Amino acid sequence: MEKILEGKAFVLGNNIDTDQIIPAEHLVYSLSDPEEKKMYGKYALSSVPMEKSGLPNGGIKYVEAEKFDTEFPIIIGGANFGCGSSREHAPFALQIAGAKVIVAESYARIFFRNAVDGGFVIPYESVEKLNDKIKTGDEVKIDLEKNILLNVTTNEEYKLKPLGDILPILEAGNLFEYARQTDMIA
Amino acid sequence: MKMTITEKILAKSAGKTFVEPGQNIWLNVDVLMTHDVCGPPTIEIWKREFGEAAKIWDKNKLVIFPDHYIFTKNPQANRNVSLLREFANQYGVDNYYDVGTDRYKGVCHLALAEEGYNIPGTVLFGTDSHTCTSGAFGMFATGVGNTDAAFILGTGKIWEKVPESMKFIFEGELPPYLMAKDLILRILGDITTDGATYRAMEFDGEGVFSLSMTERMTLTNMAIEAGGMNGIIAADAVTEAYVKERTNKEYEMFTSDADAKYHSIRKYKTAELEPVVAKPHSPDNMGTVRSIAGTKLTKCYIGSCTGGKLSDFQAAAKILLGNQVKTSTFIVPASTEVAKALEEETISGISLIDIFEKAGCIIAESSCAACLGGPADTVGRAKDNEVVISTTNRNFPGRMGSRQSEVYLASPLTVAASAITGVITDPRDFL
Ligand code: SF4
């Protein structure tokens, strides 16, 4: 796993539910066909209301029309990120779109678990509320060893809560890989 | 160091002496439960990941209840049950409760209790969000996705983040017009559907400990409606009596330390509470029954893991005795044991089943039935723009069938009173 992640931030509000992340109508694409699989990226975060998509001003699509991936690998969310249905497609769609890490105040439990156990995206928790401090498009750098987020654009630094015991799962790739590496399973 | 009951049970399961909120720990799972909807995909992932040599970590700890889509002609639903049956046969899973045999039980969360799988001090995972129900037995119980369940199936282990605990204290016994459903709907109204996200909801106080086991299960069942990881009630003599009657497995009773740390503590005086409903379309859309009394209904429904237990039917029968229903009213016992008890239990010498039949109710076989809508031929399913009052736990658009229908959630007392009048009615009018 990379120790430093950098790129542009995409900022969202509270209660981003799994329907906003990947609407139910798009759950039909095959996961084994690479061409179809790309569609999950195309529609990632496509149901976030436009005025709340890319804060503070809104009106920014996570994945531009005609594209399959995003220019924003870092998502800054608020409270209760990933609430709603337990579909594993939600963190998966974000991964396919090119998201590497989410930094949110809190997560709905099953989304958080799915993100880690499926190895889709790193769910960091911020210490303080960040979605009113970082703007969509800001250059952001996350140090996974120091658990620090640096907003390169403003030169502000924020602490993140350490990933703790889930770090080895993320480093291994997913829960099953982790278990293989640690001889928990053959 | 001081710990809550949830922290103590998780520490024990992780082989640690102390854990604190936020810590991610590996748990040894005591029971894994699955059903006909999530069982087949879980088995598929398990086979994919563990390959030809896939082994169940401990056959005795796996429990499978077909319960969701049971009495239907729907081919996909029936195929799911066949897959479970084949799996149970192939791997010798004794704790499989097949449909069409006298082992069939009905809704998993009640069946877990009745069959002696709910053991104080243990850790239970299930592929169903209402797995938190089992927490009524002073144990840790929560729902997981299929990937996690597949992992448990192969290893018996899973990681979990130790939750912060919220405490809800009900002072004073419940007055006769209130039920556990009124308490939990009240909490939901106060803290909303994400008020307990990633937290434990611990229920305490005389109002809780004066309840029967099945009433306590109504409280823990709906912890997930507030986003909670688990609901929990410390085991007491009532719990012990229930457990001993059903199993001779050993149990361990934990309680929260007096000065354990909580995210928050809320106190309610039961004498000040009123019968409440959750209005369409969210379980936290709380209002008093009186504030919406007179709302016209087209259907009444008493059933599900949260509202189809014996105590629910006893309450409803108390009101329906000697009365006629004005609206079509469905009685869906959650389990076959409850269905049997309806014939044996009496009020004023009349069996509950007779009371319901004489009142004009429609009595269905035990299963989840219309609690989650189900295939088109599901008994009690909401059609078109029906207005339903139900003892179930969710009233999101379309949850009980038609997306145009409106569902009010309420206690069995309130549903029974409303069945008699055909409009939403406060049970105090009949008590
Ligand atoms: S009765 Fe309803 S809530 Fe309970 S397990 Fe079945 S579908 Fe889920």
Side-chain angles (χ1 to χ4, degrees), chain A residues 59-129:
Chain A
I60 305 168
K61 293 193 77 169
Y62 186 61
V63 178
E64 273 179 53
E66 314 298 319
K67 287 218 168 141
F68 293 91
D69 51 8
T70 182
E71 56 173 311
F72 307 102
I74 293 165
I75 295 171
I76 309 290
N80 204 24
F81 195 97
C83 56
S85 93
S86 63
R87 64 185 68 143
E88 293 192 9
H89 299 80
F92 174 73
L94 295 176
Q95 180 194 40
I96 298 293
K100 294 258 181 288
V101 52
I102 307 170
V103 179
E105 276 171 84
S106 64
Y107 294 88
R109 172 174 161 268
I110 296 190
F111 177 89
F112 184 81
R113 298 192 67 89
N114 289 344
V116 174
D117 290 353
F120 301 124
V121 52
I122 301 170
Y124 251 122
E125 279 181 322
S126 55
V127 173
E128 54 183 316
K129 186 175 165 61

Side-chain angles (χ1 to χ4, degrees), chain B residues 67-68 107-109 128 130 221 304-305 368 371-372 393 399:
Chain B
D67 61 351
H68 274 59
V107 183
C108 56
H109 309 300
D128 188 282
H130 289 104
N221 176 279
S304 87
C305 53
C368 293
C371 172
L372 80 163
N393 45 30
R399 167 76 180 181

